[in-house]
Amino acid sequence: MRKNSLQHEHAVVVGAGIAGLCAAAALATRFVRVTVVDRDDIAPDSWFRRGVPQGHHAHYLLERGAMAMEDLFPGLRAEIKAAGVPVHDFGIVARFLLPTGWSPLHETGITIQPLSRPYLETFLRRRALALDNVTLLTDFHVDGLNLARSHKGPHHVRGIRGRHNGQAVDLTANLVVETTGRGSRLPRWLTEHGLPAPREREISARVVYASRIYHGHPDSGPLIQGALVYAPTRRRGGAVLGMENDTGLVILAGADGELCPTDEEGFAAYATTLPTPVVRDYLSAHEPCGPIHRTTNLSNRWRLLHRYPKWPHGLIALGDSVCYFNPIYAQGMTVAALQAAALPGWLDGHTTTRIFQHKLARIIRTPWLMATSADLAWAPRQAGATARAAHWYLDRLMPHLPAKPDLYRRFASVQHMRRSPATLLAPSVLRTVLGPAAPPLCP
């Protein structure tokens, strides 16, 4: 195994979102200095910002992601709780209309804190910037990588070049970590130096989201409730998520070509077409406190950086810059936190950045399989044997969940990445899935 020659003097993190802030906290335990750069003009209390358009939509942190963030920011969960966001049992606070009935309201032992992505980011930013060796440079536009070329082995990234407050600047660094997300310019930065663009894998369910914030939590029932899209029978979905400061986020979803409206009348009318009146009733009883935001053509995309020939030394990419998922599965923030949490151990092991990209691929592999196996049901001709088998099994499993709390608890633990999907192949589960069929899936 090749050893790296990284000096732990200065690390630069490109992007000050969830992935970047988690990475900064992790790197601060090993580097003398960590500089985070972001193109947005970010104030301490910045909420929605241009560089994070997905912040307008629903996010919730899976329990495993919360545990990873707690490791990076000790006491984070207690701090958020003290600010008015309690910790709940997932099985009690969230209820979804599955294809054959409502998920059971039973304790699962899985804990979550329902809060918006921008609110979570304010906590992470405050904690990261409180570290003595972490600095944030805002209004910093990165133009590319500074690369030392090699004729024998991989090239070596020596830092970044860009414009800070309109002035050209070079930042020299021993390690550059790219975390700017879905819109990452990393492929262009590589090709500018004559290197190949990374290969990508993309699977799209043609998902569209429209979201709006309202005053007040749901008047009755759990804090989070609704009906999600489910391939190939349910192309429209929607939910209400109670959040911080006594607000609620309504999200409407469309898959396989369904387009959620952004006008007032169309938004309300779309809610009446859902298989449950939960969203419709909430809209009729609560006042909006912001505009409707829509994002279209959301997909799953994986840049296969672990297969990149001669990956440059001194460069890492993580979070959505490497792989992003259909947001309906709520995997993105958790995967980013797990990847950031892996940085200190990798640095202590002194292996190359290429080896680390392989490590990140192992973190991605299971959530990717879970997300794409479901979404490939919208495009069955693209599905391989593994995806078809996984969706067949899921179709047999789902009808049993409403009436079997123990099975739902096991299913939820896989969703929250606490347990491997293999737990759904345990003998007791196999007997249920392969035994007498439950009621057929409803549209």
Side-chain angles (χ1 to χ4, degrees), residues 123-145:
F123 284 94
L124 301 186
R125 184 164 58 243
R126 188 182 308 123
R127 291 290 298 274
L129 296 184
L131 299 171
D132 292 338
N133 57 340
V134 175
T135 303
L136 172 64
L137 300 180
T138 62
D139 194 19
F140 193 111
H141 296 257
V142 178
D143 294 324
L145 302 169

Side-chain angles (χ1 to χ4, degrees), residues 392-410:
W392 175 87
Y393 192 82
L394 189 62
D395 275 352
R396 296 278 302 185
L397 175 72
M398 292 288 280
H400 295 280
L401 297 181
K404 295 183 181 292
D406 288 342
L407 182 59
Y408 180 71
R409 184 180 300 114
R410 188 184 291 260

Side-chain angles (χ1 to χ4, degrees), residues 58-62 325-335 415 417:
H59 288 72
Y60 78 86
L61 187 62
L62 304 180
F325 306 90
N326 180 345
I328 199 170
Y329 306 114
Q331 296 165 317
M333 295 193 299
T334 292
V335 169
Q415 280 187 310
M417 298 174 61

Side-chain angles (χ1 to χ4, degrees), residues 25-106:
L27 295 170
T29 66
R30 299 297 189 275
F31 278 80
V32 176
R33 294 185 298 128
V34 178
T35 303
V36 183
V37 301
D38 197 282
R39 67 180 183 178
D40 285 347
D41 185 10
I42 304 173
D45 58 349
S46 288
W47 205 257
F48 298 109
R49 55 190 184 90
R50 184 184 60 181
V52 191
Q54 68 272 28
H56 294 285
H57 300 293
H59 288 72
Y60 78 86
L61 187 62
L62 304 180
E63 188 186 56
R64 193 168 176 208
M67 293 165 62
M69 286 188 187
E70 186 70 21
D71 289 340
L72 293 167
F73 302 95
L76 176 66
R77 190 167 250 199
E79 183 180 347
I80 295 174
K81 181 179 179 180
V85 183
V87 177
H88 299 274
D89 186 287
F90 173 74
I92 300 299
V93 78
R95 198 179 193 201
F96 299 104
L97 182 61
L98 305 175
T100 55
W102 287 96
S103 58
L105 277 177
H106 283 267

Side-chain angles (χ1 to χ4, degrees), residues 150-226:
S150 170
H151 295 294
K152 295 182 179 179
H155 302 317
H156 199 131
V157 172
R158 301 293 189 185
I160 59 172
R161 66 180 188 279
R163 290 156 289 131
H164 182 218
N165 294 326
Q167 300 296 314
V169 62
D170 282 5
L171 283 183
T172 301
N174 308 111
L175 179 67
V176 173
V177 182
E178 213 294 310
T179 72
T180 54
R182 291 171 179 257
S184 172
R185 298 182 179 181
L186 180 61
R188 192 182 79 179
W189 296 344
L190 294 170
T191 57
E192 285 174 346
H193 288 278
L195 300 174
R199 289 189 295 127
E200 297 181 349
R201 184 181 299 168
E202 183 171 12
I203 294 171
S204 177
R206 294 192 297 158
V207 175
V208 175
Y209 291 110
S211 303
R212 194 179 202 182
I213 298 177
Y214 289 77
H215 294 286
H217 288 169
D219 296 324
S220 62
L223 203 59
I224 302 171
Q225 49 187 308

